[in-house]
Amino acid sequence: MASLNISSVLKKDIFILVLMMFTVPLAGQLNFYPMNETFRVSFGAPTFFFFLLLFRKIPVVLPGFLTGILMVGFRILLDWTMQENFNLLSSFAEYYSSFFYYFTYAFLFYLVKVNRFYSQPLLLGCMGIVIEILADLVELLVQHFGLGTTITLAAFKEITIMAISHSFLVLSFFNMMKLYESQSRERQIRKQNEHMLMLISSLYEESVHLKKTLQNAESITKKSYDLYKRLTSLKEDQTVFPVKELGKQALKIAGEVHEIKKDNQRIFAGLSKLISDESLADYMDIHELVDIIVQTNEKYARLLGKNIEFIQTIEGSHPHYHVFTVLSIINNIVANAVEAITDAGSITIALAREHDSVEFRIGDNGPGITPKHKLLIFKPGFTSKYDHSGNSSTGIGLSYVKEVVEQLEGDITVQDGPCGKGSMFMIRLPVDHLIMKG
């Protein structure tokens, strides 16, 4: 995985280098001459500085060397295409000092290891100013010894002013880019966390079902073994059926159920470890929890091609609640409401704190629940939902919700929505069972 990351960064650096080779020479043509006709100030300098800040693996001396050569060659090429009496030597003499500017700039950038100070923008800006001034002085010295140009105090002042403006112009764009990257990364992390929370919530729900299955398996094993003992205690000549053979079958059933229980125990242990080892917080602010439920079910509604408005209200002061308990309970009911609404509608999620308990109200304006179904919806296996092929759903969602609510010493009821339209589920839970114990 680490080698893949290094390869990805290196490819990105190569792309930046290629882009830099095209961009800096073009930006260098936007220029003016503040001191003499040989010393130019161009937008190539801030563009060059910006690109150097982007490199991660490639040593910046290489881009500086290549950019310097390409800049001189590009300017000579422009003279050749635009001048009738083109002279290669005179054109080279005019532009070759630019190479020393870019190479010196990159060399000093590498020497000081500027990339260590990305988190300190003011220091980074000051370093950029000093490096550009020194690179400009090197270029002026090359011109002085090669062309006999004069270095004046006014020239130094001009260099300093341009270096300051270049440095902070580049830092403005660079920090804007970093801010966008951090915001984008934050959105991605938030999205991943929400997905992980819903995934773990589902695992939490499955672990509850599995725990119940373990209890059932234990009960069946005990009953089968008791039957075996009773059968073997009978004398075969007192009965009209083969007691010994039936006893062996009962023992075999007990053994097979015991194996199922052992397998379930291993699965349950793995699920429990996965849930407990997850780095996400076990307790969370209720506003964030409700936001996750709404965002998840908005996506679910869009997937089903439905236009559903979600309305949420939270009253009172709430401590942080257990994430997976709240998600698995409330999300089950909200998802059912999404499925119940035909094409368009609204779902309301309301919470209120009342002394030592919290009440959840989940309502919708869908077709509602018939009176006879209200007596059955919490029974395991009951369902009124069928897919396009006529296959029924499992019918364990609401039975699971009721079981968990009762384990938490709470209660759940359902009634018709306002004006008899839709349905309203009310869940009341003791706050003490949802918060972290001190």
Side-chain angles (χ1 to χ4, degrees):
M1 184 63 70
S3 61
L4 286 175
N5 289 336
I6 293 172
S7 176
S8 176
V9 173
L10 187 58
K11 286 179 181 178
K12 185 177 179 181
D13 275 6
I14 293 172
F15 173 76
I16 292 170
L17 178 60
V18 173
L19 187 62
M20 181 182 184
M21 295 297 98
F22 285 97
T23 307
V24 175
L26 291 174
Q29 298 313 301
L30 301 173
N31 55 70
F32 60 97
Y33 299 81
M35 292 162 285
N36 55 58
E37 58 268 354
T38 57
F39 184 81
R40 70 170 66 196
V41 175
S42 71
F43 286 97
T47 306
F48 182 66
F49 181 26
F50 179 78
F51 274 107
L52 290 184
L53 290 171
L54 301 180
F55 286 104
R56 289 293 177 269
K57 288 295 179 182
I58 295 179
V60 294
V61 176
L62 176 62
F65 179 80
L66 294 176
T67 302
I69 292 176
L70 196 61
M71 183 66 75
V72 175
F74 184 72
R75 289 173 177 173
I76 292 174
L77 180 64
L78 284 179
D79 280 358
W80 177 64
T81 57
M82 298 176 65
Q83 295 178 7
E84 292 183 4
N85 299 319
F86 172 73
N87 186 292
L88 178 61
L89 291 178
S90 61
S91 183
F92 177 78
E94 181 180 356
Y95 299 127
Y96 81 97
S97 60
S98 297
F99 167 81
F100 292 95
Y101 169 82
Y102 288 101
F103 182 74
T104 303
Y105 197 121
F107 178 76
L108 293 174
F109 193 98
Y110 175 78
L111 195 64
V112 179
K113 299 190 184 303
V114 174
N115 53 6
R116 295 180 302 171
F117 305 99
Y118 285 165
S119 60
Q120 303 176 56
L122 287 178
L123 180 59
L124 193 64
C126 293
M127 294 173 72
I129 293 169
V130 173
I131 289 173
E132 182 168 344
I133 290 173
L134 292 174
D136 280 329
L137 288 175
V138 169
E139 183 179 3
L140 281 176
L141 286 171
V142 172
Q143 290 183 2
H144 174 71
F145 290 110
L147 302 174
T149 56
T150 305
I151 303 175
T152 64
L153 181 61
F156 182 76
K157 289 180 180 178
E158 291 283 352
I159 288 172
T160 304
I161 293 171
M162 293 307 300
I164 292 172
S165 62
H166 284 167
S167 182
F168 285 97
L169 175 67
V170 170
L171 282 181
S172 298
F173 282 103
F174 184 72
N175 287 331
M176 285 174 61
M177 185 187 73
K178 287 297 178 184
L179 178 62
Y180 174 79
E181 285 182 354
S182 63
Q183 289 175 340
S184 177
R185 194 178 302 113
E186 182 185 357
R187 286 192 296 269
Q188 176 112 15
I189 291 172
R190 190 186 302 119
K191 186 177 179 181
Q192 290 174 346
N193 285 346
E194 288 175 3
H195 174 74
M196 187 63 69
L197 282 172
M198 297 309 301
L199 178 63
I200 295 175
S201 174
S202 298
L203 292 176
Y204 178 82
E205 182 177 335
E206 294 302 323
S207 70
V208 172
H209 287 301
L210 194 55
K211 188 175 182 181
K212 184 179 179 182
T213 303
L214 283 170
Q215 292 171 347
N216 292 340
E218 182 67 30
S219 175
I220 294 171
T221 302
K222 185 177 184 305
K223 289 177 181 177
S224 298
Y225 188 70
D226 288 343
L227 177 61
Y228 163 73
K229 288 197 297 183
R230 289 182 61 190
L231 286 171
T232 54
S233 67
L234 296 174
K235 293 183 178 180
E236 189 169 358
D237 57 1
Q238 294 178 341
T239 63
V240 295
F241 56 90
V243 175
K244 190 173 182 181
E245 183 179 342
L246 291 176
K248 288 180 179 179
Q249 290 180 2
L251 184 60
K252 185 178 179 182
I253 291 171
E256 289 177 354
V257 173
H258 182 71
E259 286 302 311
I260 294 173
K261 187 191 77 169
K262 288 296 184 184
D263 290 339
N264 283 351
Q265 281 179 332
R266 284 190 287 270
I267 297 170
F268 180 72
L271 282 176
S272 300
K273 187 176 189 303
L274 177 63
I275 293 169
S276 62
D277 286 354
E278 185 52 51
S279 60
L280 297 170
D282 288 338
Y283 297 85
M284 188 180 288
D285 179 74
I286 191 61
H287 294 83
E288 294 181 37
L289 275 173
V290 173
D291 284 342
I292 291 172
I293 293 170
V294 168
Q295 290 167 17
T296 302
N297 285 282
E298 281 176 340
K299 294 173 186 175
Y300 185 37
R302 287 195 294 270
L303 178 67
L304 298 178
K306 300 180 180 182
N307 182 21
I308 298 178
E309 178 188 10
F310 289 83
I311 304 165
Q312 52 177 296
T313 58
I314 300 175
E315 299 177 2
S317 175
H318 296 266
H320 286 197
Y321 293 134
H322 189 249
V323 173
F324 310 123
T325 302
V326 173
L327 281 180
S328 56
I329 292 174
I330 306 305
N331 195 59
N332 252 305
I333 298 176
V334 176
N336 282 346
V338 170
E339 294 167 357
I341 293 173
T342 307
D343 294 310
S346 63
I347 295 174
T348 303
I349 304 173
L351 277 81
R353 172 78 182 272
E354 296 181 7
H355 304 296
D356 296 331
S357 64
V358 56
E359 185 178 76
F360 300 85
R361 289 175 175 262
I362 300 97
D364 65 77
N365 59 354
I369 303 171
T370 62
K372 65 176 182 179
H373 284 171
K374 285 179 185 174
L375 302 174
L376 301 171
I377 58 173
F378 294 113
K379 292 187 178 298
F382 173 79
T383 183
S384 59
K385 294 182 291 186
Y386 296 86
D387 61 20
H388 297 296
S389 303
N391 298 315
S392 65
S393 66
T394 58
I396 61 174
L398 288 177
S399 64
Y400 160 77
V401 170
K402 182 175 176 64
E403 182 178 343
V404 172
V405 168
E406 290 177 349
Q407 285 179 359
L408 297 172
E409 300 179 5
D411 60 80
I412 178 171
T413 58
V414 61
Q415 63 185 36
D416 292 335
C419 304
K421 189 175 183 181
S423 58
M424 174 75 71
F425 284 83
M426 289 161 291
I427 301 171
R428 186 182 296 272
L429 295 170
V431 171
D432 187 57
H433 290 337
L434 295 176
I435 62 176
M436 184 182 299
K437 302 298 188 292

